Amino acid sequence: DAGVIQSPRHEVTEMGQEVTLRCKPISGHDYLFWYRQTMMRGLELLIYFNNNVPIDDSGMPEDRFSAKMPNASFSTLKIQPSEPRDSAVYFCASSDRTVNQPQHFGDGTRLSIL
Amino acid sequence: GIQVEQSPPDLILQEGANSTLRCNFSDSVNNLQWFHQNPWGQLINLFYIPSGTKQNGRLSATTVATERYSLLYISSSQTTDSGVYFCAGPANDYKLSFGAGTTVTVRA
């Protein structure tokens, strides 16, 4: 299996611009998670989907953040407008059935907002 | 939710040495996962280990759920073992609670 695929690997953009991060989960996995990692806060769960449906977005920091999963093989995390404090590494992960199964992470997107 | 504590926070090893990393959790868990974040930032799932012992090459992990801890053993460490090791337990049905990590540096 190809694993979880994220793009882009790196993104540098100016404050105020729209940023779109993309994720392709492992085929057959029912759960998709978006995380953010920073030095200060560690790994934070932003939102997760089950069978393409957003279940809990309580970790999304602000209305500037939105996530979609139009089908089982694709998800996006969008930030509009972006701010310097959004700079972080964003990970997508997927798992089969529930959290009581191994979560497999993509390589992450390193986002820098200038 | 569950609290996860890892120790030690930092570990420096000479290549070839063995070491043990520990993860304590505040409540009983029905699964525990160990991850390795390499120097390139990739997060690799090492073990999914609700109880008992598992081995994967030079790495092995043991979870004693009744006593609420898990151990990760690194034997004959190599420079490629460097990075941050995280353990994570379920905070609820879908959310993983991650420890702060142990940063391992293996010197040649």
Side-chain angles (χ1 to χ4, degrees):
Chain A
D1 203 316
V4 177
I5 299 173
Q6 291 186 246
S7 64
R9 287 297 311 276
H10 303 274
E11 175 89 11
V12 180
T13 192
E14 292 189 348
M15 182 176 65
Q17 297 297 307
E18 178 179 289
V19 173
T20 300
L21 310 181
R22 297 172 176 80
C23 175
K24 175 180 168 58
I26 293 173
S27 177
H29 279 191
D30 299 328
Y31 287 79
L32 183 140
F33 307 84
W34 281 101
Y35 289 88
R36 179 172 68 175
Q37 186 179 36
T38 60
M39 290 293 292
M40 292 294 293
R41 301 173 68 92
L43 271 162
E44 304 173 273
L45 178 65
L46 300 177
I47 186 171
Y48 93 100
F49 294 83
N50 178 23
N51 292 324
N52 313 339
V53 177
I55 303 300
D56 187 343
D57 64 355
S58 60
M60 298 285 260
E62 299 174 32
D63 291 344
R64 299 183 295 107
F65 286 69
S66 62
K68 293 182 180 179
M69 193 165 185
N71 57 62
S73 60
F74 183 65
S75 177
T76 60
L77 178 68
K78 188 172 293 187
I79 308 173
Q80 167 63 20
S82 58
E83 296 183 4
R85 59 195 168 117
D86 302 330
S87 298
V89 181
Y90 291 81
F91 286 100
C92 175
S94 70
S95 72
D96 187 18
R97 286 175 281 166
T98 70
V99 74
N100 292 323
Q101 295 294 323
Q103 284 193 19
H104 297 279
F105 282 71
D107 288 347
T109 295
R110 185 172 297 275
L111 178 63
S112 297
I113 308 297
L114 307 178
Chain B
I2 188 173
Q3 303 298 312
V4 182
E5 291 186 359
Q6 293 188 242
S7 61
D10 300 281
L11 193 58
I12 298 175
L13 301 171
Q14 199 64 35
E15 198 169 31
N18 304 326
S19 66
T20 302
L21 282 59
R22 187 179 179 102
C23 176
N24 292 328
F25 29 96
S26 59
D27 204 348
S28 59
V29 295
N30 56 6
N31 86 77
L32 190 85
Q33 301 187 36
W34 283 97
F35 297 86
H36 175 220
Q37 188 164 33
N38 63 27
W40 295 271
Q42 296 170 314
L43 262 169
I44 309 298
N45 193 304
L46 296 175
F47 294 102
Y48 165 73
I49 182 167
S51 64
T53 298
K54 289 188 176 180
Q55 181 130 18
N56 182 1
R58 296 179 295 100
L59 302 180
S60 64
T62 295
T63 295
V64 184
T66 53
E67 298 187 21
R68 297 183 289 175
Y69 73 89
S70 184
L71 303 174
L72 179 70
Y73 305 95
I74 305 174
S75 65
S76 303
S77 58
Q78 299 179 359
T79 55
T80 52
D81 296 328
S82 296
V84 183
Y85 290 80
F86 294 99
C87 63
N92 55 32
D93 284 347
Y94 60 86
K95 182 182 290 189
L96 278 179
S97 180
F98 284 81
T102 293
T103 300
V104 173
T105 303
V106 181
R107 293 180 173 164

